Amino acid sequence: MLSNSIILLILSLQSACLAHVHHHHSTRKIHGQNWYHPSDHDVHQLFGRQASSTNSKAEVFPKVGSKEWKALFPAPFETLTKDAAKPAWIEALNEVKAQGLIPTNVPIGKFNETSGYPEYNGGQLDPKGDVVCSASYFCRGPDDVWDAPEGHVGISFDDGPLPDSSPLLYSFLKSQNQTATHFFIGSNILQNPDLFLEAFENGDDMACHTWSHPYMTTISDEAVVAELGWLLEIVRVSSGGRIPRYWRPPYGDVDNRVRAIAKHVFGLTTVIWNHDSLDWELPEGPVTSAGVHQNYTTWYSGPKAPGLVILSHELTTQSVQAFIDTYPLIAKNGWIARSIPDLFGGGPRPGYPSLERICRRDSKSGFHDPLDLHQYCRRWKYGADNRVAEFNGEFDSNCEW
């Protein structure tokens, strides 16, 4: 039988679910923990100074955008070589190599100007085969994210932050209370720190799109580590120590070698897409704004399975406007829009009553999707100043942060 304390807990949660009806759309989401590694993750050992039993003083970060902050990073769009990687990153790379976690049978690719894609061993090694499994050739790795759950749209944008287009996007997302994932280029963060802070303070998710946007399969293992590591470092230093969990390879170019380095050195999950809006061709490419609008319209009015992970960019005002103009079609056609981490992270912790089960028993709860519930849990956990709020400890423990 349930104890009195558990019964009271369930009743309080049911009341909280009812309150959700009146407040769900009124508050901009505050940061959850889906997009970054927890503070006890091993990846933190590769970055900065960590508080411990012998060193209780946490790292102090310079002001974002300051001279001291800028001095911490490579030059914008610098070609990163082996020497650019921090020693701790190279040491971690060598450790996972010694453990046999990085494939040794996948050669470094060479970009083919004719095909527009990297090739292997002069074209003699099949890029779609099990050895290489290049996403450039639509080969899906077992841990890749290509599709959203049925009925969901993963909202994400590549290549920001940029001064001409990002402010329009961030203002729109905030007005719609819509959380998005930004696959940022480190060099663009370095050049536009205020825009990074705007996206971060809006409660959006930060993710990795490398430091300088190279074809990742065409560079050495050490350069891969440098490209990933410096993006993670600039996000970490600029967000109070948070290290992203997700990355999208530039041009979608990843193979089994690069996947393994990203996963085993930095704990990164690779995110690709199942639809390309082609908005990156605007305004000068063969694709027109009308064509991009039609792409979005077709997919939003199409089947719900699999869910949509659309390649979108904050490159130009035209690419952003195409997303804004068609955004109402998501809800109109019955889709649920979420950031990438919110699609795949979070949920009740094992051993506690299921908040989803409790709330969905009540037809008046307003939770039409378990992800709505997860978002609601976040609002209870965090106050407006992003500090942990003082709520019932048992209630908080039911939510995955």
Side-chain angles (χ1 to χ4, degrees):
M1 293 181 64
L2 291 175
S3 67
N4 290 338
S5 61
I6 294 296
I7 293 173
L8 288 173
L9 172 61
I10 293 174
L11 290 174
S12 68
L13 292 177
Q14 287 177 322
S15 297
C17 291
L18 287 170
H20 167 80
V21 174
H22 303 289
H23 299 291
H24 178 62
H25 298 290
S26 61
T27 305
R28 175 67 171 153
K29 184 185 77 60
I30 305 300
H31 279 292
Q33 295 180 354
N34 283 341
W35 67 263
Y36 57 91
H37 288 296
S39 59
D40 59 352
H41 193 281
D42 288 345
V43 72
H44 286 277
Q45 299 175 16
L46 305 181
F47 296 88
R49 182 178 70 251
Q50 301 302 313
S52 67
S53 58
T54 58
N55 173 27
S56 60
K57 187 176 181 180
E59 186 173 5
V60 177
F61 302 106
K63 181 180 178 182
V64 176
S66 67
K67 181 179 179 181
E68 293 77 15
W69 176 83
K70 293 178 180 178
L72 295 174
F73 310 111
F77 294 99
E78 175 183 340
T79 300
L80 300 184
T81 63
K82 174 181 178 179
D83 295 335
K86 289 190 174 186
W89 306 343
I90 298 298
E91 181 179 347
L93 172 65
N94 291 335
E95 286 179 1
V96 296
K97 281 185 173 182
Q99 296 168 20
L101 297 174
I102 309 301
T104 59
N105 58 348
V106 182
I108 297 174
K110 183 177 181 181
F111 188 77
N112 185 309
E113 297 288 349
T114 302
S115 68
Y117 299 103
E119 63 180 16
Y120 299 82
N121 287 351
Q124 299 303 304
L125 186 58
D126 182 8
K128 301 186 292 293
D130 292 339
V131 172
V132 174
C133 192
S134 169
S136 295
Y137 295 84
F138 305 103
C139 182
R140 298 187 175 202
D143 298 323
D144 292 353
V145 170
W146 288 70
D147 303 320
E150 182 176 348
H152 291 76
V153 179
I155 305 296
S156 67
F157 302 91
D158 286 15
D159 294 351
L162 293 167
D164 291 338
S165 48
S166 295
L168 174 64
L169 175 63
Y170 302 166
S171 177
F172 176 77
L173 292 172
K174 185 175 182 179
S175 73
Q176 300 299 307
N177 196 29
Q178 176 64 62
T179 305
T181 301
H182 300 277
F183 290 98
F184 278 150
I185 297 173
S187 296
N188 283 343
I189 296 175
L190 185 62
Q191 294 178 315
N192 303 286
D194 290 346
L195 290 175
F196 171 86
L197 288 177
E198 181 178 352
F200 174 72
E201 291 169 359
N202 281 350
D204 280 351
D205 299 337
M206 310 294 103
C208 174
H209 203 43
T210 74
W211 182 258
S212 67
H213 206 272
Y215 280 89
M216 293 290 278
T217 66
T218 68
I219 61 178
S220 70
D221 295 353
E222 294 81 6
V224 169
V225 166
E227 283 286 344
L228 297 173
W230 280 114
L231 180 283
L232 300 181
E233 176 69 336
I234 197 169
V235 171
R236 185 187 76 89
V237 171
S238 307
S239 66
R242 296 168 173 86
I243 299 176
R245 295 172 51 208
Y246 294 85
W247 85 293
R248 175 173 282 159
Y251 315 103
D253 180 45
V254 68
D255 57 22
N256 281 340
R257 174 181 69 97
V258 177
R259 281 187 187 94
I261 294 172
K263 176 180 178 179
H264 294 296
V265 176
F266 296 118
L268 289 167
T269 296
T270 299
V271 180
I272 312 295
W273 57 83
N274 58 15
H275 292 285
D276 182 353
S277 70
L278 299 177
D279 64 349
W280 49 273
E281 295 190 4
L282 300 174
E284 298 176 355
V287 174
T288 64
S289 290
V292 175
H293 279 71
Q294 185 57 54
N295 286 338
Y296 282 119
T297 301
T298 299
W299 300 327
Y300 292 154
S301 61
K304 296 294 194 301
L308 301 175
V309 178
I310 298 173
L311 179 63
S312 303
H313 295 79
E314 52 189 278
L315 269 173
T316 63
T317 55
Q318 291 89 344
S319 63
V320 170
Q321 194 62 53
F323 168 80
I324 291 174
D325 291 345
T326 55
Y327 176 81
L329 297 177
I330 297 176
K332 181 178 179 181
N333 287 285
W335 295 91
I336 298 167
R338 293 288 183 268
S339 71
I340 299 298
D342 283 349
L343 292 176
F344 301 101
R349 292 184 180 182
Y352 291 95
S354 168
L355 287 176
E356 176 186 344
R357 187 168 62 250
I358 293 168
C359 291
R360 294 186 73 174
R361 276 208 305 261
D362 190 329
S363 62
K364 297 180 180 180
S365 69
F367 290 110
H368 304 295
D369 177 75
L371 294 172
D372 282 332
L373 175 63
H374 180 61
Q375 298 288 65
Y376 182 62
C377 285
R378 289 180 170 187
R379 293 195 182 96
W380 273 81
K381 179 69 173 178
Y382 290 95
D385 58 359
N386 211 30
R387 293 184 300 180
V388 176
E390 296 294 334
F391 289 109
N392 183 288
E394 287 184 292
F395 180 90
D396 292 345
S397 298
N398 280 275
C399 300
E400 182 71 33
W401 307 116

